[in-house]
């Protein structure tokens, strides 16, 4: 799948460009994350929100963006039972993503903490850095936004919805 990166600013793209060129990172595009969103698209969304928020708050937006892109680098379909995995995906995948990321890239301590603790409070250990807390929030926000988009698209495709929209529009027009 061809990524559409036109909506992101050049500074953000420069920060994550070496990660996006990696063949293992590109494999995230083969796995569905939330409904119609691939794992790679989800991670880019999280990375971009991290970048924007951390830059605005004068925090380490470079580490936040890079770790946001790698936070779900687990490379398996989490909906299917994985051989050898004894724990639920929510508890297992942060460590898997961290191990995969460390095998491919030199991470700083902040990036490691962000990746490992992005599922807080599900994973009980508290994040160490402000950027880690921000990532937990942007991850949840991205998940909600991706889910919302899926259901809105699905609802809009229904014929009954289109007719109801037209009917309601006709009711409102005489009031205006």
């Amino acid at each position: 799948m061809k990524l559409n990166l036109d909506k992101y600013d050049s500074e953000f793209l420069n920060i994550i460009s070496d990660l996006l060129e990696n063949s293992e990172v590109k494999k995230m595009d083969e796995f569905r994350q939330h409904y119609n969103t691939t794992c790679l698209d989800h991670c880019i969304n999280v990375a971009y929100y991290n970048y924007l928020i951390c830059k605005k708050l004068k925090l380490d937006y470079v580490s936040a963006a890079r770790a946001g892109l790698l936070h779900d680098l687990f490379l398996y379909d989490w909906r299917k039972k994985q051989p050898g995995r004894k724990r639920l995906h929510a508890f297992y995948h942060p460590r898997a993503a961290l191990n995969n990321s460390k095998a491919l890239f030199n991470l700083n301590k902040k990036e490691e903490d962000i990746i490992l603790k992005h599922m807080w409070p599900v994973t009980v250990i508290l994040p160490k850095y402000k950027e880690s807390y921000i990532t937990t929030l942007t991850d949840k926000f991205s998940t909600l936004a991706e889910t919302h988009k899926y259901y809105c698209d699905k609802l809009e495709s229904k014929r009954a919805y289109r007719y109801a929209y037209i009917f309601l529009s006709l009711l409102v027009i005489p009031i205006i």
Side-chain angles (χ1 to χ4, degrees), residues 131-152:
E131 293 85 352
S132 302
Y133 284 100
I134 289 168
T135 302
T136 66
L137 295 174
T138 59
D139 185 37
K140 285 24 166 206
F141 174 79
S142 294
T143 299
L144 289 171
E146 292 154 11
T147 302
H148 178 263
K149 181 179 180 343
Y150 170 79
Y151 280 109
C152 284

mmCIF file of all heavy atoms in Angstrom, residues 131-152:
data_model
loop_
_atom_site.group_PDB
_atom_site.id
_atom_site.type_symbol
_atom_site.label_atom_id
_atom_site.label_comp_id
_atom_site.label_asym_id
_atom_site.label_seq_id
_atom_site.Cartn_x
_atom_site.Cartn_y
_atom_site.Cartn_z
ATOM 1 N N GLU A 131 6.595 12.648 27.996
ATOM 2 C CA GLU A 131 6.345 12.201 26.632
ATOM 3 C C GLU A 131 5.688 10.815 26.611
ATOM 4 O O GLU A 131 4.899 10.518 25.711
ATOM 5 C CB GLU A 131 7.664 12.160 25.848
ATOM 6 C CG GLU A 131 8.291 13.520 25.612
ATOM 7 C CD GLU A 131 9.170 14.028 26.756
ATOM 8 O OE1 GLU A 131 9.187 13.399 27.842
ATOM 9 O OE2 GLU A 131 9.836 15.057 26.568
ATOM 10 N N SER A 132 5.989 9.988 27.594
ATOM 11 C CA SER A 132 5.363 8.663 27.686
ATOM 12 C C SER A 132 3.884 8.785 28.008
ATOM 13 O O SER A 132 3.052 8.065 27.445
ATOM 14 C CB SER A 132 6.064 7.813 28.755
ATOM 15 O OG SER A 132 7.432 7.675 28.477
ATOM 16 N N TYR A 133 3.540 9.697 28.917
ATOM 17 C CA TYR A 133 2.131 9.925 29.236
ATOM 18 C C TYR A 133 1.382 10.472 28.019
ATOM 19 O O TYR A 133 0.259 10.074 27.742
ATOM 20 C CB TYR A 133 1.986 10.898 30.408
ATOM 21 C CG TYR A 133 2.282 10.293 31.755
ATOM 22 C CD1 TYR A 133 3.500 10.480 32.365
ATOM 23 C CD2 TYR A 133 1.322 9.517 32.412
ATOM 24 C CE1 TYR A 133 3.775 9.919 33.604
ATOM 25 C CE2 TYR A 133 1.587 8.957 33.653
ATOM 26 C CZ TYR A 133 2.822 9.157 34.239
ATOM 27 O OH TYR A 133 3.082 8.600 35.459
ATOM 28 N N ILE A 134 2.029 11.380 27.318
ATOM 29 C CA ILE A 134 1.407 11.947 26.117
ATOM 30 C C ILE A 134 1.135 10.843 25.099
ATOM 31 O O ILE A 134 0.071 10.807 24.476
ATOM 32 C CB ILE A 134 2.279 13.080 25.538
ATOM 33 C CG1 ILE A 134 2.199 14.293 26.474
ATOM 34 C CG2 ILE A 134 1.863 13.449 24.116
ATOM 35 C CD1 ILE A 134 3.210 15.379 26.205
ATOM 36 N N THR A 135 2.059 9.924 24.957
ATOM 37 C CA THR A 135 1.875 8.820 24.008
ATOM 38 C C THR A 135 0.700 7.933 24.417
ATOM 39 O O THR A 135 -0.055 7.477 23.561
ATOM 40 C CB THR A 135 3.161 7.995 23.865
ATOM 41 O OG1 THR A 135 4.206 8.868 23.425
ATOM 42 C CG2 THR A 135 2.985 6.864 22.858
ATOM 43 N N THR A 136 0.534 7.682 25.702
ATOM 44 C CA THR A 136 -0.620 6.879 26.126
ATOM 45 C C THR A 136 -1.915 7.569 25.708
ATOM 46 O O THR A 136 -2.862 6.906 25.285
ATOM 47 C CB THR A 136 -0.642 6.611 27.650
ATOM 48 O OG1 THR A 136 -0.835 7.816 28.355
ATOM 49 C CG2 THR A 136 0.613 5.912 28.114
ATOM 50 N N LEU A 137 -1.936 8.889 25.804
ATOM 51 C CA LEU A 137 -3.142 9.641 25.421
ATOM 52 C C LEU A 137 -3.326 9.699 23.906
ATOM 53 O O LEU A 137 -4.439 9.513 23.407
ATOM 54 C CB LEU A 137 -3.085 11.048 26.006
ATOM 55 C CG LEU A 137 -3.114 11.121 27.532
ATOM 56 C CD1 LEU A 137 -2.901 12.554 28.011
ATOM 57 C CD2 LEU A 137 -4.414 10.558 28.078
ATOM 58 N N THR A 138 -2.245 9.952 23.166
ATOM 59 C CA THR A 138 -2.391 10.039 21.710
ATOM 60 C C THR A 138 -2.735 8.679 21.110
ATOM 61 O O THR A 138 -3.452 8.605 20.119
ATOM 62 C CB THR A 138 -1.120 10.600 21.033
ATOM 63 O OG1 THR A 138 -0.005 9.776 21.331
ATOM 64 C CG2 THR A 138 -0.856 12.033 21.464
ATOM 65 N N ASP A 139 -2.240 7.612 21.728
ATOM 66 C CA ASP A 139 -2.577 6.261 21.269
ATOM 67 C C ASP A 139 -4.072 6.011 21.444
ATOM 68 O O ASP A 139 -4.743 5.521 20.528
ATOM 69 C CB ASP A 139 -1.751 5.233 22.035
ATOM 70 C CG ASP A 139 -1.952 3.812 21.540
ATOM 71 O OD1 ASP A 139 -2.105 3.612 20.329
ATOM 72 O OD2 ASP A 139 -1.933 2.888 22.377
ATOM 73 N N LYS A 140 -4.607 6.361 22.602
ATOM 74 C CA LYS A 140 -6.041 6.160 22.854
ATOM 75 C C LYS A 140 -6.873 7.073 21.953
ATOM 76 O O LYS A 140 -7.884 6.658 21.393
ATOM 77 C CB LYS A 140 -6.391 6.443 24.312
ATOM 78 C CG LYS A 140 -6.022 5.424 25.383
ATOM 79 C CD LYS A 140 -4.908 4.516 25.075
ATOM 80 C CE LYS A 140 -4.360 3.757 26.263
ATOM 81 N NZ LYS A 140 -2.955 3.386 26.048
ATOM 82 N N PHE A 141 -6.433 8.326 21.798
ATOM 83 C CA PHE A 141 -7.152 9.269 20.939
ATOM 84 C C PHE A 141 -7.178 8.768 19.497
ATOM 85 O O PHE A 141 -8.228 8.797 18.839
ATOM 86 C CB PHE A 141 -6.502 10.661 20.996
ATOM 87 C CG PHE A 141 -7.109 11.617 20.025
ATOM 88 C CD1 PHE A 141 -8.315 12.237 20.290
ATOM 89 C CD2 PHE A 141 -6.476 11.889 18.809
ATOM 90 C CE1 PHE A 141 -8.886 13.108 19.376
ATOM 91 C CE2 PHE A 141 -7.046 12.758 17.895
ATOM 92 C CZ PHE A 141 -8.252 13.370 18.179
ATOM 93 N N SER A 142 -6.036 8.306 18.995
ATOM 94 C CA SER A 142 -5.969 7.800 17.626
ATOM 95 C C SER A 142 -6.889 6.604 17.436
ATOM 96 O O SER A 142 -7.570 6.488 16.410
ATOM 97 C CB SER A 142 -4.535 7.403 17.269
ATOM 98 O OG SER A 142 -3.713 8.532 17.236
ATOM 99 N N THR A 143 -6.905 5.720 18.410
ATOM 100 C CA THR A 143 -7.792 4.552 18.351
ATOM 101 C C THR A 143 -9.251 4.991 18.273
ATOM 102 O O THR A 143 -10.018 4.475 17.446
ATOM 103 C CB THR A 143 -7.570 3.648 19.582
ATOM 104 O OG1 THR A 143 -6.211 3.209 19.574
ATOM 105 C CG2 THR A 143 -8.502 2.460 19.581
ATOM 106 N N LEU A 144 -9.632 5.942 19.102
ATOM 107 C CA LEU A 144 -11.013 6.439 19.073
ATOM 108 C C LEU A 144 -11.330 7.125 17.745
ATOM 109 O O LEU A 144 -12.412 6.924 17.181
ATOM 110 C CB LEU A 144 -11.258 7.409 20.235
ATOM 111 C CG LEU A 144 -11.312 6.776 21.617
ATOM 112 C CD1 LEU A 144 -11.336 7.861 22.694
ATOM 113 C CD2 LEU A 144 -12.517 5.866 21.749
ATOM 114 N N ALA A 145 -10.409 7.923 17.237
ATOM 115 C CA ALA A 145 -10.632 8.628 15.967
ATOM 116 C C ALA A 145 -10.763 7.636 14.810
ATOM 117 O O ALA A 145 -11.629 7.799 13.937
ATOM 118 C CB ALA A 145 -9.490 9.607 15.703
ATOM 119 N N GLU A 146 -9.924 6.603 14.795
ATOM 120 C CA GLU A 146 -9.978 5.602 13.737
ATOM 121 C C GLU A 146 -11.275 4.791 13.814
ATOM 122 O O GLU A 146 -11.892 4.490 12.783
ATOM 123 C CB GLU A 146 -8.758 4.682 13.844
ATOM 124 C CG GLU A 146 -7.465 5.401 13.522
ATOM 125 C CD GLU A 146 -6.215 4.810 14.156
ATOM 126 O OE1 GLU A 146 -6.286 3.692 14.712
ATOM 127 O OE2 GLU A 146 -5.165 5.484 14.096
ATOM 128 N N THR A 147 -11.711 4.489 15.013
ATOM 129 C CA THR A 147 -12.970 3.765 15.208
ATOM 130 C C THR A 147 -14.154 4.639 14.795
ATOM 131 O O THR A 147 -15.067 4.177 14.102
ATOM 132 C CB THR A 147 -13.108 3.326 16.681
ATOM 133 O OG1 THR A 147 -11.985 2.515 17.013
ATOM 134 C CG2 THR A 147 -14.386 2.554 16.925
ATOM 135 N N HIS A 148 -14.119 5.892 15.184
ATOM 136 C CA HIS A 148 -15.184 6.837 14.825
ATOM 137 C C HIS A 148 -15.296 6.974 13.310
ATOM 138 O O HIS A 148 -16.397 6.938 12.744
ATOM 139 C CB HIS A 148 -14.903 8.191 15.476
ATOM 140 C CG HIS A 148 -15.896 9.240 15.144
ATOM 141 N ND1 HIS A 148 -15.685 10.163 14.158
ATOM 142 C CD2 HIS A 148 -17.126 9.500 15.649
ATOM 143 C CE1 HIS A 148 -16.734 10.966 14.066
ATOM 144 N NE2 HIS A 148 -17.623 10.583 14.959
ATOM 145 N N LYS A 149 -14.159 7.125 12.645
ATOM 146 C CA LYS A 149 -14.173 7.258 11.183
ATOM 147 C C LYS A 149 -14.767 6.018 10.523
ATOM 148 O O LYS A 149 -15.577 6.127 9.598
ATOM 149 C CB LYS A 149 -12.762 7.501 10.652
ATOM 150 C CG LYS A 149 -12.735 7.680 9.136
ATOM 151 C CD LYS A 149 -11.356 7.931 8.614
ATOM 152 C CE LYS A 149 -11.276 8.110 7.125
ATOM 153 N NZ LYS A 149 -12.350 7.692 6.289
ATOM 154 N N TYR A 150 -14.405 4.856 11.003
ATOM 155 C CA TYR A 150 -14.923 3.614 10.437
ATOM 156 C C TYR A 150 -16.452 3.573 10.541
ATOM 157 O O TYR A 150 -17.143 3.292 9.564
ATOM 158 C CB TYR A 150 -14.313 2.405 11.150
ATOM 159 C CG TYR A 150 -14.987 1.106 10.784
ATOM 160 C CD1 TYR A 150 -14.692 0.475 9.582
ATOM 161 C CD2 TYR A 150 -15.935 0.524 11.619
ATOM 162 C CE1 TYR A 150 -15.310 -0.721 9.228
ATOM 163 C CE2 TYR A 150 -16.555 -0.668 11.275
ATOM 164 C CZ TYR A 150 -16.248 -1.284 10.086
ATOM 165 O OH TYR A 150 -16.875 -2.449 9.742
ATOM 166 N N TYR A 151 -16.973 3.853 11.732
ATOM 167 C CA TYR A 151 -18.426 3.760 11.914
ATOM 168 C C TYR A 151 -19.169 4.875 11.189
ATOM 169 O O TYR A 151 -20.277 4.665 10.694
ATOM 170 C CB TYR A 151 -18.788 3.711 13.400
ATOM 171 C CG TYR A 151 -18.584 2.325 13.961
ATOM 172 C CD1 TYR A 151 -17.547 2.042 14.833
ATOM 173 C CD2 TYR A 151 -19.403 1.274 13.564
ATOM 174 C CE1 TYR A 151 -17.346 0.762 15.309
ATOM 175 C CE2 TYR A 151 -19.206 -0.012 14.038
ATOM 176 C CZ TYR A 151 -18.185 -0.262 14.910
ATOM 177 O OH TYR A 151 -17.980 -1.534 15.371
ATOM 178 N N CYS A 152 -18.590 6.057 11.102
ATOM 179 C CA CYS A 152 -19.225 7.130 10.318
ATOM 180 C C CYS A 152 -19.263 6.766 8.840
ATOM 181 O O CYS A 152 -20.288 6.955 8.179
ATOM 182 C CB CYS A 152 -18.488 8.448 10.524
ATOM 183 S SG CYS A 152 -18.827 9.218 12.091
#
